[in-house]
Amino acid sequence: MIQRPLGIFIVCCLVPLILAYAAIKLDWLPQHTTNHGQFLPSELRVPSWQSKGEQLWSIAINAPDSCQSQCDVQFEALEKLYIALGKHQKDVSLVVFNRTFGEQISPQYQSYTLHEKLPPASLYLIDHRGLLVLQYEYFDDQDKNRIEQKGLIKDLKKLLKYARSS
C-alpha cells in the first residue's frame, strides 16, 4: 500500500530531472532570444552608482572626450529616444560615461567614469542598482543604428512592463 505512492512520488521527481538533463545535453534549448541588445560578457557595475529618484532603468552612452562626431550623432539619437519613451520617461534616467561636462551636453545626464574599456558611442541599459545589462553598438550606417535604437526602445518598454507587474 505504501510502496505504490512512494513509487509514484519517485517517478514524478525523476522524470522532470531526466528530461531537463536530456534537453541540455542534446541541445534542445532555443538558440535565439527576444532581446535586441547584446548581454555584456561579464558582470559590470557602475562604481558609486546613485539612482536618481524612482527610475528603474537608465540609458547610458559611453562618450569619452576623444569621441566627437559619432558621439554627437548618438547624443542626438538619445534625446529622440528619450522623447519616444513618452509616459515612461519618469521611469528612465540618462547617463553619460567618461565625458567631462561641457555646454553641449544637457544637465539631465548623470556623469560617471568607468575604467573598463567600452566601445565609444555605444548605448547601454543599466538597472536601478548600477548593473550594465545590455549593450547597443554604434554603427556608421544610419539604418543599422536606427534598427539598434528601436530595439533598445522595445527592450526597455518590455523591462518596464515586467517591473510594473512584479
Side-chain angles (χ1 to χ4, degrees), residues 38 70 73-74 120-122 136-149:
Q38 295 84 34
Q70 296 174 338
V73 170
Q74 282 293 71
S122 292
Y136 302 86
E137 291 186 37
Y138 174 80
F139 297 102
D140 290 328
D141 182 15
Q142 291 303 317
D143 291 334
K144 281 186 178 179
N145 254 355
R146 223 170 291 140
I147 291 169
E148 198 78 355
Q149 292 159 2

Side-chain angles (χ1 to χ4, degrees), residues 66-75 99 121 138 140 142:
S66 61
C67 174
Q68 292 301 320
S69 61
Q70 296 174 338
C71 289
D72 290 341
V73 170
Q74 282 293 71
F75 273 116
R99 169 75 58 116
Y138 174 80
D140 290 328
Q142 291 303 317

Side-chain angles (χ1 to χ4, degrees), residues 52-72:
K52 210 168 73 169
E54 293 293 317
Q55 282 89 7
L56 300 171
W57 291 92
S58 297
I59 304 173
I61 180 172
N62 183 31
D65 291 327
S66 61
C67 174
Q68 292 301 320
S69 61
Q70 296 174 338
C71 289
D72 290 341

